[in-house]
Amino acid sequence: MVKGGLWRVFPDYDSEEMLMKLGAAIGIEPDADDVPGELHVTLAYDESNPNVKAEQNDAGQFFAVVKEATLFGEGQDKILVLVLESPDLCAEHERIHACGAAKWSHPTYHPHITLLKQARDSQAEHLNQIIQHPGRPPITLRFIEEDRKMLEKRN
């Protein structure tokens, strides 16, 4: 058992390639400073790092459909995320919280992947034109490799 308050899942190779292509379509350079170091979906985040026995779902695979691109935050601190529809990820989020392995401070859970920090409105708009283009099949992503780690308390 690994202790910690951060639970994540990572895209498989094909899904990560799709995410990189979506980013490239709006000019995101993978090595830029405003790009997260790794693509993942956060399942739980609790800085108190509950010391609760909860097993990682090592054999798990979780599927999600990209619903839309949106911006979180304000001004210079806007973050571009892909919002996902995923009963799989929501069920895993609920499992983690049901055993007390994390406390969630938001009223609802919305699985998402951060693509870019310091994003612009036009980037989200352009990405939505790609994602929601008439006749385009849904973009389905597969997530694997669940992990849990300790979080450092923010000051």
Side-chain angles (χ1 to χ4, degrees):
M1 178 187 77
V2 177
K3 297 177 186 175
L6 174 61
W7 296 69
R8 307 174 293 182
V9 288
F10 299 91
D12 69 3
Y13 179 81
D14 292 336
S15 297
E16 186 168 5
E17 285 294 308
M18 173 57 76
L19 293 166
M20 300 298 270
K21 287 178 184 176
L22 288 171
I26 59 167
I28 296 176
E29 297 288 334
D31 298 330
D33 291 339
D34 52 359
V35 174
E38 57 191 5
L39 296 169
H40 68 273
V41 173
T42 300
L43 294 167
Y45 187 95
D46 186 342
E47 286 183 350
S48 72
N49 293 304
N51 188 7
V52 173
K53 182 175 181 164
E55 298 300 323
Q56 291 171 217
N57 195 347
D58 290 329
Q61 64 177 346
F62 309 95
F63 292 92
V65 173
V66 177
K67 181 179 175 183
E68 67 176 340
T70 194
L71 298 172
F72 289 173
E74 300 286 329
Q76 294 282 344
D77 296 325
K78 290 181 182 176
I79 298 170
L80 176 63
V81 303
L82 294 178
V83 177
L84 308 173
E85 286 184 351
S86 175
D88 294 345
L89 291 170
C90 290
E92 185 65 357
H93 167 84
E94 290 297 325
R95 181 190 73 83
I96 292 165
H97 287 77
C99 67
K103 295 180 181 81
W104 193 249
S105 60
H106 299 283
T108 57
Y109 174 64
H110 299 284
H112 64 275
I113 301 171
T114 300
L115 289 183
L116 182 67
K117 301 170 189 172
Q118 299 175 343
R120 298 183 311 275
D121 293 346
S122 60
Q123 290 171 305
E125 292 165 7
H126 186 196
L127 202 48
N128 277 322
Q129 290 174 356
I130 295 168
I131 294 165
Q132 300 166 355
H133 189 273
R136 183 188 200 329
I139 299 171
T140 301
L141 305 172
R142 179 175 170 249
F143 295 89
I144 55 175
E145 297 182 43
E146 181 172 311
D147 83 345
R148 180 182 185 190
K149 72 177 201 174
M150 297 292 285
L151 286 167
E152 299 292 325
K153 292 201 183 242
R154 296 183 207 175
N155 292 332

